[in-house]
Amino acid sequence: MDIKILITWLIPLFPLSGWLLWGLFGKYFKGLSGYIASGFVGVSFILSVVLFFIVAYSHGFTDTLYPWVHAGIFKAGVSAVIDRLSVVMLVMVTGVSTLVHIYSIGYMEGEKGFSRYFSFLNLFVFSMIMLVISNNLLLLYVFWEAVGFCSYVLIGFWYEKKSASDAGKKAFIVNRIGDFGFAAGIFLLFATTKTLNYETVFTFIPSMPVYTTTAIALLLFAGAVGKSAQFPLHVWLPDAMEGPTPVSALIHAATMVTAGVYMIARFHIIFSYSPAASEVVLAVGTFTAFFAAFIALTQFDIKRIIAYSTISQLGYMFMAVGIGSYTAGIFHLISHAVFKGLLFLTAGSVMHGLSGELDLRKMGGLYSKMKTTAVTFIVGGLALSGIPPFSGFFSKDAILADIYNKGFYFAWAIGEITALMTAFYIFRLIFLAFFSESKLDPAKHVHESSKIMTVPMIILASLAVIIGFLGMPPFNESLFYGFLHTDFKNAAVFAPAVNNVPWYILSLISVLMGLSGIYAAYILYIKKTVSPEKIKSIFKPLYALSYNKVYIDEIYNFLIVKPMLVFFDFLWRVVDIKIIDGAVNGTASAFSFFSVKARKIQNGMLMSYILTLSIGAVALLFYYFIR
C-alpha cells in the first residue's frame, strides 16, 4: 500500500481505537485513559502534519477503503478525498484536539466518568476527521450526524444535572431541524445527478438549471445553519456551556461548529453557481455576527460570553464564503480555532481556580493570583479583537477587505461595528475578571491551574501570535492564500471586485474599531470615568434586549415549544388513549361480552345441543333455497 494511503486511514484509526478501548475497557485503565487517549490523538496530529507536507509538495488524491453500498444505480464507498483543504482542516482538527485532550487530563481529574469522557472525546475527533476526508455525501452525512451525537453526549456529560441533560437534548433537537434540510438537499442532488460522489456531482453543476442549484444550495445551507449555530438555529450553542469546558473548546473551536463552514467551502462550486443562495449565506452571516455580538455585550457568565463570540465569529466566516472568498473564510476558521480554543481553555482555568465560579460579578483582581491564565486570556482577547500582530487581525481583516472591495458596503459596515462590539465585550470580561476590584469570596482559595492545563494554553497563545503571519496582507499574496486558493479555482466568479482600496486603509479602520472597543471597556470598568449603571439607564430598552438575549428562547418557547406540547398532549390523551387504545380495548371488551353470551350455549344439556343443531340446519336449508 502507498505510504500516503496508509497514513490517510491511520489518522482516523487511532481515535477510533481509543473510543473502543476506553468504552469497553476504560475501568481497567482508570487515570491512564487520559494520557493514552491524548497520545492517540497526538499520533493522528503528527500523521496529519506528514500528510500535509506530502500534499504540499506533490498533489491531492482520492482513495476507497472498501465499497460500502451498491443498490441499483446507487454506489457509495468508504472513500477519502485528500487535497489542500482536507489537510489544512486535518492539521487544525487534530492539533487543537490534542491540546484539548491534554488539558482535559487536569480539568477532569477525579471525575467518575473519566474514561467515558475520553472515549467520547476520541469518538468526536474520529467523526470530525471522517467528515473532513469523506469523498461522498452519504459518508459525509453519516459523520455529520455522528458529530451531532457526540456533542449531545458530551454536552450532557453530567447527565444527573438537569440543566446539562436539557442542554444536550436541545443541541440534538435543534440540529435535527437543520439536518432535515441537509438530508433533503442530498436527496435532491442525487435525484438530479444520480450520484453522491463529489467529483462526479461537481461536473453536473455548470449545466444544471440555476433554480435547481439554488434549491440544493439552500437546503445544504440549512444544515450548516444548524451545525454552525447561525440565526435562527443558534439557540443550542450558548446552552452547550453546561458541558465540561474542554468540550466547549472542542465543539466551538475545532470540530462541530466549523463543519458548516467547511461544508460550504467543500461544495463551493454549488454555491458559486447560485448567486442567490450565496447572498442568503452572506445575509445570514452578517446578521448573526452582529446579533450575537450585541447579546454578548451584557452577559456575565464568562463561558456564555465566549459562546456568543463563537456564533458571531462564525458569522464572519459565512460572510466570507457568502461572497466567494472561500480561502479567507477558511483562514479565519483556522485562526479562530486557535484563539477561541485558547479563550475557552483559559475560561476553564478561571473556573478551575475559583471552584467552578462563572459570574463576572463575583470575580476581580485575578491577575495577581493567576498570571499565566491572565496573560494567555489577554492574548486570546487581543486576537479576537483583531489587534495586530495577533491572528484575528490578519484573518478578520482579510474578510472585511474583500467584502468592501466587492461592493457589499452594508455588510462591511455591519462587520466593522461588530468588530467594535467584539473588542468591547471581550475586554469587559478581561477587565472585570482580572483587573477590577476583587469581589471574590474570602473562603475560596484562588490558585493557578496545574502545568498540564497551562502548557496547552501557552502553546495556543503562541500560535495566536504566530499563525496570523501566514495570511500577511495583502491576503491574495500570502502563504496561506497561495497554498489553498488552487482548490477553489473552479468556482464561478459571481462577485468580482469593484474597488481596489489598499489593504492598509481598510485594516486601519478595523484596528481603530477594535481599539475603540477596548478603550470604551477601559473607561467603563477600570478608569470608571463613566458609570456602567448610567449607560445602562440611558439605554435601558436596548440593555434589556441584549441581557435577555433578544428574548429568542422565550419567543420560541411561546410560538413553538408550548403549542407542540399542547399538540402532543392532545395526541396522547385523545388520539393515543381514547382512539387507539380505545379501539383496541373496545374490541377486546366486545369479544369478551359476546363470548360471555355465547358460552351459555355450552350448558351440558343434550336437548339444547339438538335444538341448536336443528336451528342451524334449518337456517342452512333456508339459505340454500332462497339463494
Side-chain angles (χ1 to χ4, degrees):
M1 182 183 286
D2 191 338
I3 185 65
K4 61 186 179 184
I5 302 297
L6 178 62
I7 291 173
T8 298
W9 296 112
L10 284 176
I11 291 171
L13 178 63
F14 279 98
L16 175 63
S17 302
W19 169 57
L20 294 171
L21 195 60
W22 320 135
L24 294 174
F25 308 108
K27 65 180 180 180
Y28 302 110
F29 288 91
K30 297 181 180 178
L32 289 175
S33 298
Y35 292 97
I36 305 174
S38 302
F40 277 18
V41 179
V43 171
S44 292
F45 169 65
I46 294 169
L47 293 173
S48 296
V49 172
V50 172
L51 192 62
F52 174 91
F53 284 107
I54 289 173
V55 172
Y57 288 101
S58 57
H59 53 78
F61 58 90
T62 60
D63 182 66
T64 299
L65 186 63
Y66 64 88
W68 179 23
V69 180
H70 188 179
I73 63 170
F74 179 68
K75 296 179 182 178
V78 177
S79 54
V81 55
I82 302 299
D83 55 11
R84 295 189 170 202
L85 177 59
S86 297
V87 293
V88 165
M89 289 293 295
L90 283 174
V91 170
M92 182 274 290
V93 169
T94 56
V96 175
S97 297
T98 300
L99 294 174
V100 170
H101 273 70
I102 295 170
Y103 177 95
S104 295
I105 296 170
Y107 189 89
M108 299 299 289
E109 186 179 11
E111 289 289 341
K112 64 179 181 180
F114 192 77
S115 293
R116 171 168 58 91
Y117 171 84
F118 279 98
S119 174
F120 282 111
L121 214 59
N122 272 191
L123 180 62
F124 207 160
V125 177
F126 164 71
S127 300
M128 190 64 192
I129 290 171
M130 290 302 298
L131 186 153
V132 166
I133 67 173
S134 296
N135 195 28
N136 64 74
L137 280 129
L138 179 62
L139 196 63
L140 172 70
Y141 186 77
V142 168
F143 289 103
W144 184 272
E145 295 296 347
V147 295
F149 167 74
C150 292
S151 70
Y152 160 72
V153 173
L154 288 168
I155 292 168
F157 176 76
W158 289 308
Y159 56 86
E160 294 173 348
K161 183 181 173 186
K162 187 177 185 302
S163 58
S165 62
D166 286 348
K169 288 183 285 187
K170 186 175 184 179
F172 192 78
I173 292 167
V174 171
N175 271 276
R176 298 289 67 71
I177 299 169
D179 292 352
F180 176 81
F182 189 63
I186 293 173
F187 283 129
L188 181 56
L189 197 57
F190 179 74
T192 307
T193 65
K194 309 304 179 189
T195 182
L196 292 180
N197 179 269
Y198 292 170
E199 295 174 2
T200 312
V201 164
F202 294 157
T203 61
F204 284 92
I205 301 303
S207 58
M208 195 180 291
V210 174
Y211 61 85
T212 304
T213 308
T214 299
I216 292 169
L218 290 175
L219 288 168
L220 294 178
F221 178 57
V225 168
K227 275 288 181 291
S228 296
Q230 297 295 282
F231 181 86
L233 300 181
H234 67 284
V235 291
W236 68 268
L237 195 140
D239 287 6
M241 298 303 97
E242 292 291 341
T245 300
V247 170
S248 302
L250 196 59
I251 291 175
H252 292 226
T255 55
M256 184 168 166
V257 296
T258 63
V261 179
Y262 168 76
M263 184 271 291
I264 293 179
R266 173 59 67 193
F267 299 124
H268 62 276
I269 293 179
I270 297 175
F271 285 87
S272 66
Y273 276 91
S274 175
S278 293
E279 287 176 5
V280 170
V281 175
L282 171 63
V284 170
T286 303
F287 178 79
T288 304
F290 176 86
F291 172 82
F294 173 70
I295 293 174
L297 292 173
T298 59
Q299 303 304 307
F300 288 98
D301 183 310
I302 60 173
K303 284 179 67 177
R304 287 181 186 269
I305 292 171
I306 303 172
Y308 279 108
S309 170
T310 296
I311 299 171
S312 182
Q313 294 302 304
L314 286 162
Y316 275 115
M317 297 174 212
F318 280 104
M319 290 168 74
V321 296
I323 62 167
S325 296
Y326 303 107
T327 309
I330 295 297
F331 184 49
H332 193 52
L333 185 154
I334 303 299
S335 170
H336 175 264
V338 171
F339 66 71
K340 188 53 60 67
L342 170 62
L343 286 171
F344 269 111
L345 296 190
T346 48
S349 181
V350 171
M351 287 177 62
H352 196 262
L354 299 181
S355 304
E357 185 59 68
L358 286 167
D359 194 333
L360 281 173
R361 292 167 291 192
K362 298 178 182 178
M363 297 183 188
L366 293 178
Y367 179 80
S368 60
K369 298 176 177 64
M370 306 178 72
K371 286 188 177 179
T372 302
T373 298
V375 170
T376 51
F377 205 122
I378 292 167
V379 170
L382 289 168
L384 175 61
S385 301
I387 305 301
F390 301 95
S391 62
F393 163 73
F394 298 98
S395 59
K396 178 171 61 66
D397 280 18
I399 294 171
L400 291 174
D402 216 13
I403 289 172
Y404 184 87
N405 282 323
K406 289 188 175 183
F408 297 99
Y409 304 120
F410 180 74
W412 173 80
I414 295 297
E416 293 291 0
I417 294 169
T418 301
L420 187 151
M421 293 194 296
T422 300
F424 175 82
Y425 68 65
I426 197 62
F427 272 86
R428 168 180 174 266
L429 189 163
I430 289 169
F431 291 146
L432 285 175
F434 296 103
F435 298 102
S436 66
E437 183 181 347
S438 177
K439 305 174 194 67
L440 298 170
D441 183 348
K444 287 186 176 180
H445 174 62
V446 181
H447 58 88
E448 183 61 274
S449 300
S450 61
K451 286 188 177 181
I452 202 163
M453 293 172 65
T454 57
V455 169
M457 288 156 45
I458 293 168
I459 293 172
L460 284 172
S462 302
L463 289 172
V465 177
I466 297 168
I467 201 169
F469 291 99
L470 295 175
M472 279 282 287
F475 183 66
N476 60 0
E477 296 177 14
S478 67
L479 287 173
F480 191 89
Y481 183 88
F483 178 78
L484 194 59
H485 86 283
T486 53
D487 277 9
F488 304 116
K489 63 184 178 182
N490 293 324
V493 179
F494 65 90
V498 295
N499 299 302
N500 191 24
V501 178
W503 66 268
Y504 49 84
I505 294 176
L506 295 172
S507 293
L508 179 62
I509 295 171
S510 294
V511 172
L512 288 174
M513 285 293 185
L515 292 175
S516 299
I518 296 172
Y519 184 68
Y522 175 76
I523 290 295
L524 286 171
Y525 299 103
I526 298 298
K527 201 160 181 78
K528 297 184 179 178
T529 307
V530 181
S531 168
E533 292 300 318
K534 185 177 180 180
I535 299 295
K536 177 181 172 180
S537 62
I538 294 171
F539 298 100
K540 193 172 182 179
L542 282 175
Y543 182 91
L545 203 61
S546 172
Y547 183 74
N548 292 289
K549 299 167 282 187
V550 198
Y551 301 98
I552 295 295
D553 282 297
E554 289 79 1
I555 292 169
Y556 285 178
N557 191 53
F558 178 75
L559 294 179
I560 300 172
V561 177
K562 285 186 176 179
M564 289 182 71
L565 288 175
V566 170
F567 177 63
F568 294 151
D569 187 68
F570 166 79
L571 290 178
W572 169 49
R573 294 182 184 277
V574 177
V575 177
D576 191 17
I577 293 178
K578 292 186 177 179
I579 297 177
I580 297 174
D581 286 355
V584 173
N585 295 335
T587 302
S589 297
F591 274 101
S592 178
F593 174 80
F594 287 115
S595 65
V596 168
K597 299 297 182 184
R599 74 183 181 186
K600 291 181 179 179
I601 298 172
Q602 303 291 329
N603 55 16
M605 296 178 65
L606 182 61
M607 294 301 294
S608 295
Y609 296 162
I610 293 171
L611 178 62
T612 303
L613 287 171
S614 299
I615 292 171
V618 170
L620 287 171
L621 288 170
F622 179 74
Y623 172 75
Y624 177 77
F625 285 113
I626 67 170
R627 189 175 53 169

